[in-house]
Amino acid sequence: MNPLTFVGLGFLVGFLVGLTGVGGGALMTPSLIFLGVEPLTAVGTDLLYATVTRVFGVFFHGRKGRIRYDIALRLLAGSVPAIVLGGIILREIDRNALNDYLTLLLGTILVVSAVLSLLKGEFRVPVRPRWAYIYLLGFIVGLTVQFTSVGAGVIVSFTLMNVARLDPKEVVGVTITYGLALSALSFLNYAGMGSVDYHLAGALTLGTLPGVYMGTHVNRNAEGEKLKRAMNVIILLIGLLTLFGG
């Protein structure tokens, strides 16, 4: 496969991550598998790529002061036990079987939630928001990411935007910051199993910096409501791709 193909893929996914904070794992892992990369290696390589991509995203968004570190740290605290549990499961149970069911569940949740949000404008739940739910959300997302590399952006961004009512531009900063820590820790599980292609990750990263920069620039000039709707459309598309991919 021509290395330029992977450079272009890195640019495209980097742009979407910089613009919305979502789409990294949901687009990258299926694309790598489609291009012939072994699934386990695709997940591990994507986690390394996602880590590098989000370093740039955190830098660009941090300069604009749009990162809620209090929320990101609570999400991470909930994810740490999930990462430990996921590492044990990866070594003890057939990951391919788990991946099939988790991908199906994730895709269904994304499609339903995005459709409701697009039809009603907002998605309300009959539960009073509490900080404890942030920790629980971190645990669920952390466990899901261990097996599919998908979830940090799409689930967290939807929940914070439509349930916690966080400003869409703040959602992007929180999602990228939390996603950076989560992907870095999750990558260590796959690196320990030798399931990471470092040369491939390098090619993907070459396209990342300009992609994330351009996406972040567009995000800065976007109107809040239009960005919110665009993010929900992307979440819907990712959900459909995840379902078909699963």
Side-chain angles (χ1 to χ4, degrees), residues 190 192 226:
Y190 285 84
K226 290 183 178 179

Side-chain angles (χ1 to χ4, degrees), residues 85-138:
L85 178 61
I88 296 173
I89 295 175
L90 279 170
R91 290 166 173 79
E92 299 295 333
I93 301 178
D94 181 12
R95 189 193 63 83
N96 290 326
L98 289 171
N99 184 67
D100 289 340
Y101 288 110
L102 283 171
T103 301
L104 178 62
L105 176 62
L106 174 63
T108 302
I109 292 173
L110 296 179
V111 170
V112 172
S113 60
V115 169
L116 287 174
S117 181
L118 288 169
L119 290 177
K120 297 183 178 180
E122 290 185 336
F123 181 71
R124 296 176 180 271
V125 293
V127 177
R128 178 179 297 179
R130 298 178 185 275
W131 280 116
Y133 299 151
I134 296 295
Y135 295 105
L136 178 60
L137 176 64

Side-chain angles (χ1 to χ4, degrees), residues 127-168:
V127 177
R128 178 179 297 179
R130 298 178 185 275
W131 280 116
Y133 299 151
I134 296 295
Y135 295 105
L136 178 60
L137 176 64
F139 181 86
I140 294 173
V141 173
L143 194 58
T144 303
V145 168
Q146 297 308 296
F147 306 111
T148 65
S149 80
V150 179
V154 285
I155 298 177
V156 172
S157 63
F158 176 84
T159 303
L160 294 180
M161 184 171 57
N162 294 290
V163 179
R165 309 297 176 80
L166 204 63
D167 182 90

Side-chain angles (χ1 to χ4, degrees), residues 35-232:
L35 293 174
V37 180
E38 189 268 333
L40 188 66
T41 302
V43 175
T45 303
D46 178 32
L47 287 170
L48 175 57
Y49 162 78
T51 299
V52 177
T53 302
R54 286 163 179 155
V55 166
F56 296 129
V58 169
F59 174 75
F60 292 136
H61 282 276
R63 292 177 61 186
K64 298 176 176 63
R66 287 206 299 261
I67 299 179
R68 289 284 303 276
Y69 290 102
D70 57 332
I71 297 178
L73 288 174
R74 284 179 168 87
L75 287 168
L76 180 60
S79 296
V80 170
I83 293 171
V84 174
L85 178 61
I88 296 173
I89 295 175
L90 279 170
R91 290 166 173 79
E92 299 295 333
I93 301 178
D94 181 12
R95 189 193 63 83
N96 290 326
L98 289 171
N99 184 67
D100 289 340
Y101 288 110
L102 283 171
T103 301
L104 178 62
L105 176 62
L106 174 63
T108 302
I109 292 173
L110 296 179
V111 170
V112 172
S113 60
V115 169
L116 287 174
S117 181
L118 288 169
L119 290 177
K120 297 183 178 180
E122 290 185 336
F123 181 71
R124 296 176 180 271
V125 293
V127 177
R128 178 179 297 179
R130 298 178 185 275
W131 280 116
Y133 299 151
I134 296 295
Y135 295 105
L136 178 60
L137 176 64
F139 181 86
I140 294 173
V141 173
L143 194 58
T144 303
V145 168
Q146 297 308 296
F147 306 111
T148 65
S149 80
V150 179
V154 285
I155 298 177
V156 172
S157 63
F158 176 84
T159 303
L160 294 180
M161 184 171 57
N162 294 290
V163 179
R165 309 297 176 80
L166 204 63
D167 182 90
K169 294 183 179 181
E170 290 185 334
V171 169
V172 177
V174 171
T175 302
I176 293 178
T177 303
Y178 164 65
L180 167 61
L182 179 59
S183 60
L185 293 174
S186 301
F187 155 74
L188 295 177
N189 279 333
Y190 285 84
M193 295 186 297
S195 299
V196 179
D197 188 329
Y198 294 95
H199 294 290
L200 175 56
L204 295 171
T205 302
L206 285 178
T208 294
L209 182 57
V212 173
Y213 178 80
M214 289 184 63
T216 305
H217 179 74
V218 174
N219 168 274
R220 181 182 61 187
N221 298 319
E223 295 181 15
E225 286 303 314
K226 290 183 178 179
L227 180 60
K228 180 177 179 178
R229 186 170 184 83
M231 290 171 72
N232 278 311

